[in-house]
mmCIF file of all heavy atoms in Angstrom:
data_model
loop_
_atom_site.group_PDB
_atom_site.id
_atom_site.type_symbol
_atom_site.label_atom_id
_atom_site.label_comp_id
_atom_site.label_asym_id
_atom_site.label_seq_id
_atom_site.Cartn_x
_atom_site.Cartn_y
_atom_site.Cartn_z
ATOM 1 N N ASP L 246 -17.888 47.631 -7.141
ATOM 2 C CA ASP L 246 -17.325 48.839 -6.532
ATOM 3 C C ASP L 246 -18.288 50.028 -6.636
ATOM 4 O O ASP L 246 -18.434 50.798 -5.689
ATOM 5 C CB ASP L 246 -16.002 49.206 -7.202
ATOM 6 C CG ASP L 246 -14.836 48.424 -6.605
ATOM 7 O OD1 ASP L 246 -15.003 47.871 -5.496
ATOM 8 O OD2 ASP L 246 -13.782 48.370 -7.253
ATOM 9 N N LEU L 248 -21.505 49.969 -6.751
ATOM 10 C CA LEU L 248 -22.592 49.807 -5.792
ATOM 11 C C LEU L 248 -22.085 50.051 -4.369
ATOM 12 O O LEU L 248 -22.740 50.693 -3.552
ATOM 13 C CB LEU L 248 -23.176 48.392 -5.901
ATOM 14 C CG LEU L 248 -23.770 48.066 -7.273
ATOM 15 C CD1 LEU L 248 -24.210 46.623 -7.309
ATOM 16 C CD2 LEU L 248 -24.956 48.981 -7.558
ATOM 17 N N ASN L 249 -20.880 49.518 -4.068
ATOM 18 C CA ASN L 249 -20.375 49.604 -2.691
ATOM 19 C C ASN L 249 -20.049 51.037 -2.283
ATOM 20 O O ASN L 249 -20.097 51.361 -1.107
ATOM 21 C CB ASN L 249 -19.116 48.751 -2.558
ATOM 22 C CG ASN L 249 -19.461 47.267 -2.593
ATOM 23 O OD1 ASN L 249 -20.633 46.899 -2.594
ATOM 24 N ND2 ASN L 249 -18.451 46.428 -2.632
ATOM 25 N N HIS L 250 -19.720 51.870 -3.247
ATOM 26 C CA HIS L 250 -19.329 53.241 -2.860
ATOM 27 C C HIS L 250 -20.495 54.004 -2.230
ATOM 28 O O HIS L 250 -20.288 54.910 -1.446
ATOM 29 C CB HIS L 250 -18.727 53.997 -4.047
ATOM 30 C CG HIS L 250 -19.644 54.933 -4.767
ATOM 31 N ND1 HIS L 250 -20.543 54.513 -5.726
ATOM 32 C CD2 HIS L 250 -19.835 56.257 -4.651
ATOM 33 C CE1 HIS L 250 -21.208 55.561 -6.172
ATOM 34 N NE2 HIS L 250 -20.803 56.641 -5.554
ATOM 35 N N TYR L 251 -21.711 53.588 -2.527
ATOM 36 C CA TYR L 251 -22.857 54.282 -1.914
ATOM 37 C C TYR L 251 -22.875 54.107 -0.400
ATOM 38 O O TYR L 251 -23.286 54.983 0.337
ATOM 39 C CB TYR L 251 -24.172 53.745 -2.484
ATOM 40 C CG TYR L 251 -24.435 54.230 -3.896
ATOM 41 C CD1 TYR L 251 -24.369 53.360 -4.970
ATOM 42 C CD2 TYR L 251 -24.766 55.557 -4.134
ATOM 43 C CE1 TYR L 251 -24.606 53.817 -6.270
ATOM 44 C CE2 TYR L 251 -25.007 56.002 -5.411
ATOM 45 C CZ TYR L 251 -24.924 55.136 -6.477
ATOM 46 O OH TYR L 251 -25.168 55.583 -7.731
ATOM 47 N N VAL L 252 -22.437 52.931 0.108
ATOM 48 C CA VAL L 252 -22.478 52.709 1.547
ATOM 49 C C VAL L 252 -21.112 52.916 2.161
ATOM 50 O O VAL L 252 -20.931 52.648 3.341
ATOM 51 C CB VAL L 252 -23.029 51.295 1.896
ATOM 52 C CG1 VAL L 252 -24.506 51.221 1.568
ATOM 53 C CG2 VAL L 252 -22.250 50.208 1.170
ATOM 54 N N GLY L 253 -20.151 53.370 1.358
ATOM 55 C CA GLY L 253 -18.847 53.751 1.899
ATOM 56 C C GLY L 253 -17.849 52.622 2.008
ATOM 57 O O GLY L 253 -16.862 52.741 2.732
ATOM 58 N N MET L 254 -18.089 51.511 1.324
ATOM 59 C CA MET L 254 -17.117 50.419 1.349
ATOM 60 C C MET L 254 -15.943 50.783 0.457
ATOM 61 O O MET L 254 -16.087 51.467 -0.546
ATOM 62 C CB MET L 254 -17.755 49.111 0.899
ATOM 63 C CG MET L 254 -18.834 48.655 1.871
ATOM 64 S SD MET L 254 -19.874 47.351 1.199
ATOM 65 C CE MET L 254 -18.844 45.926 1.483
ATOM 66 N N LYS L 255 -14.766 50.296 0.839
ATOM 67 C CA LYS L 255 -13.573 50.600 0.051
ATOM 68 C C LYS L 255 -13.635 49.864 -1.291
ATOM 69 O O LYS L 255 -14.306 48.827 -1.394
ATOM 70 C CB LYS L 255 -12.322 50.129 0.820
ATOM 71 C CG LYS L 255 -11.995 51.039 2.005
ATOM 72 C CD LYS L 255 -10.584 50.841 2.479
ATOM 73 C CE LYS L 255 -10.418 49.548 3.258
ATOM 74 N NZ LYS L 255 -10.823 49.662 4.667
ATOM 75 N N PRO L 256 -12.932 50.339 -2.288
ATOM 76 C CA PRO L 256 -12.878 49.590 -3.541
ATOM 77 C C PRO L 256 -12.264 48.216 -3.285
ATOM 78 O O PRO L 256 -11.440 48.057 -2.378
ATOM 79 C CB PRO L 256 -11.957 50.422 -4.439
ATOM 80 C CG PRO L 256 -11.941 51.771 -3.846
ATOM 81 C CD PRO L 256 -12.180 51.611 -2.365
ATOM 82 N N LEU L 257 -12.663 47.243 -4.063
ATOM 83 C CA LEU L 257 -12.098 45.896 -3.913
ATOM 84 C C LEU L 257 -10.582 45.964 -4.123
ATOM 85 O O LEU L 257 -10.110 46.722 -4.975
ATOM 86 C CB LEU L 257 -12.736 44.950 -4.942
ATOM 87 C CG LEU L 257 -14.210 44.637 -4.667
ATOM 88 C CD1 LEU L 257 -14.858 44.017 -5.893
ATOM 89 C CD2 LEU L 257 -14.336 43.710 -3.472
ATOM 90 N N LEU L 314 -12.995 40.316 5.369
ATOM 91 C CA LEU L 314 -14.430 40.548 5.135
ATOM 92 C C LEU L 314 -14.990 41.507 6.174
ATOM 93 O O LEU L 314 -15.773 42.393 5.865
ATOM 94 C CB LEU L 314 -15.195 39.218 5.190
ATOM 95 C CG LEU L 314 -15.011 38.258 4.013
ATOM 96 C CD1 LEU L 314 -15.793 36.971 4.277
ATOM 97 C CD2 LEU L 314 -15.488 38.890 2.714
ATOM 98 N N TYR L 317 -13.738 44.951 5.547
ATOM 99 C CA TYR L 317 -14.372 45.429 4.310
ATOM 100 C C TYR L 317 -15.815 45.880 4.578
ATOM 101 O O TYR L 317 -16.280 46.872 4.029
ATOM 102 C CB TYR L 317 -14.322 44.277 3.294
ATOM 103 C CG TYR L 317 -14.786 44.604 1.909
ATOM 104 C CD1 TYR L 317 -14.125 45.551 1.152
ATOM 105 C CD2 TYR L 317 -15.868 43.924 1.359
ATOM 106 C CE1 TYR L 317 -14.546 45.836 -0.138
ATOM 107 C CE2 TYR L 317 -16.277 44.200 0.073
ATOM 108 C CZ TYR L 317 -15.630 45.147 -0.681
ATOM 109 O OH TYR L 317 -16.038 45.419 -1.939
ATOM 110 N N GLY L 318 -16.492 45.135 5.435
ATOM 111 C CA GLY L 318 -17.903 45.414 5.678
ATOM 112 C C GLY L 318 -18.154 46.406 6.791
ATOM 113 O O GLY L 318 -19.278 46.907 6.935
ATOM 114 N N THR L 319 -17.146 46.691 7.613
ATOM 115 C CA THR L 319 -17.405 47.584 8.749
ATOM 116 C C THR L 319 -16.588 48.869 8.698
ATOM 117 O O THR L 319 -17.001 49.883 9.264
ATOM 118 C CB THR L 319 -17.059 46.886 10.089
ATOM 119 O OG1 THR L 319 -15.686 46.466 10.034
ATOM 120 C CG2 THR L 319 -17.945 45.692 10.327
ATOM 121 N N ASN L 320 -15.432 48.828 8.058
ATOM 122 C CA ASN L 320 -14.579 50.002 8.003
ATOM 123 C C ASN L 320 -15.068 50.909 6.874
ATOM 124 O O ASN L 320 -14.533 50.918 5.774
ATOM 125 C CB ASN L 320 -13.119 49.556 7.781
ATOM 126 C CG ASN L 320 -12.153 50.719 7.874
ATOM 127 O OD1 ASN L 320 -12.550 51.844 8.150
ATOM 128 N ND2 ASN L 320 -10.894 50.436 7.609
ATOM 129 N N LEU L 321 -16.108 51.667 7.196
ATOM 130 C CA LEU L 321 -16.790 52.403 6.122
ATOM 131 C C LEU L 321 -16.394 53.879 6.131
ATOM 132 O O LEU L 321 -16.052 54.421 7.179
ATOM 133 C CB LEU L 321 -18.315 52.297 6.323
ATOM 134 C CG LEU L 321 -18.846 50.871 6.404
ATOM 135 C CD1 LEU L 321 -20.333 50.889 6.757
ATOM 136 C CD2 LEU L 321 -18.633 50.115 5.105
ATOM 137 N N ASP L 322 -16.466 54.469 4.982
ATOM 138 C CA ASP L 322 -16.193 55.885 4.812
ATOM 139 C C ASP L 322 -17.194 56.688 5.659
ATOM 140 O O ASP L 322 -18.414 56.542 5.499
ATOM 141 C CB ASP L 322 -16.344 56.231 3.319
ATOM 142 C CG ASP L 322 -16.041 57.694 3.037
ATOM 143 O OD1 ASP L 322 -15.997 58.505 3.987
ATOM 144 O OD2 ASP L 322 -15.839 58.008 1.860
ATOM 145 N N ALA L 325 -19.948 58.371 3.829
ATOM 146 C CA ALA L 325 -20.701 57.524 2.898
ATOM 147 C C ALA L 325 -22.029 58.173 2.539
ATOM 148 O O ALA L 325 -22.658 58.850 3.366
ATOM 149 C CB ALA L 325 -20.933 56.154 3.530
ATOM 150 N N TYR L 339 -21.887 45.776 6.612
ATOM 151 C CA TYR L 339 -22.153 45.005 5.392
ATOM 152 C C TYR L 339 -21.130 43.889 5.224
ATOM 153 O O TYR L 339 -20.526 43.740 4.171
ATOM 154 C CB TYR L 339 -22.134 45.953 4.185
ATOM 155 C CG TYR L 339 -23.014 47.156 4.399
ATOM 156 C CD1 TYR L 339 -22.483 48.388 4.800
ATOM 157 C CD2 TYR L 339 -24.400 47.038 4.285
ATOM 158 C CE1 TYR L 339 -23.297 49.470 5.058
ATOM 159 C CE2 TYR L 339 -25.228 48.127 4.542
ATOM 160 C CZ TYR L 339 -24.668 49.351 4.923
ATOM 161 O OH TYR L 339 -25.479 50.411 5.183
ATOM 162 N N VAL L 340 -20.913 43.128 6.322
ATOM 163 C CA VAL L 340 -19.920 42.058 6.252
ATOM 164 C C VAL L 340 -20.518 40.890 5.452
ATOM 165 O O VAL L 340 -21.536 40.325 5.863
ATOM 166 C CB VAL L 340 -19.554 41.588 7.682
ATOM 167 C CG1 VAL L 340 -18.477 40.494 7.598
ATOM 168 C CG2 VAL L 340 -19.080 42.769 8.505
ATOM 169 N N PRO L 341 -19.861 40.537 4.362
ATOM 170 C CA PRO L 341 -20.396 39.394 3.587
ATOM 171 C C PRO L 341 -20.207 38.115 4.382
ATOM 172 O O PRO L 341 -19.335 38.030 5.245
ATOM 173 C CB PRO L 341 -19.526 39.384 2.320
ATOM 174 C CG PRO L 341 -18.799 40.687 2.315
ATOM 175 C CD PRO L 341 -18.684 41.128 3.727
ATOM 176 N N LEU L 349 -27.870 41.485 2.510
ATOM 177 C CA LEU L 349 -27.270 42.794 2.804
ATOM 178 C C LEU L 349 -28.047 43.847 2.025
ATOM 179 O O LEU L 349 -27.899 43.955 0.821
ATOM 180 C CB LEU L 349 -25.804 42.826 2.414
ATOM 181 C CG LEU L 349 -24.851 41.894 3.162
ATOM 182 C CD1 LEU L 349 -23.467 41.925 2.564
ATOM 183 C CD2 LEU L 349 -24.790 42.247 4.643
ATOM 184 N N MET P 122 -24.079 46.669 1.163
ATOM 185 C CA MET P 122 -24.077 47.025 -0.262
ATOM 186 C C MET P 122 -25.459 47.513 -0.665
ATOM 187 O O MET P 122 -26.451 46.901 -0.346
ATOM 188 C CB MET P 122 -23.725 45.789 -1.085
ATOM 189 C CG MET P 122 -22.257 45.470 -0.978
ATOM 190 S SD MET P 122 -21.907 43.902 -1.707
ATOM 191 C CE MET P 122 -20.814 43.229 -0.476
ATOM 192 N N ARG P 123 -25.429 48.610 -1.311
ATOM 193 C CA ARG P 123 -26.715 49.273 -1.504
ATOM 194 C C ARG P 123 -26.820 49.780 -2.933
ATOM 195 O O ARG P 123 -25.962 50.512 -3.393
ATOM 196 C CB ARG P 123 -26.776 50.457 -0.515
ATOM 197 C CG ARG P 123 -28.045 51.254 -0.583
ATOM 198 C CD ARG P 123 -29.166 50.499 0.069
ATOM 199 N NE ARG P 123 -30.329 51.372 0.229
ATOM 200 C CZ ARG P 123 -31.517 50.918 0.518
ATOM 201 N NH1 ARG P 123 -31.696 49.644 0.707
ATOM 202 N NH2 ARG P 123 -32.542 51.750 0.652
#
Side-chain angles (χ1 to χ4, degrees):
Chain L
D246 277 343
L248 299 175
N249 289 353
H250 99 278
Y251 286 110
V252 290
M254 295 167 81
K255 287 198 285 278
L257 290 165
L314 288 177
Y317 186 62
T319 57
N320 187 3
L321 305 174
D322 182 345
Y339 309 100
V340 182
L349 295 174
Chain P
M122 285 171 224
R123 180 75 169 166

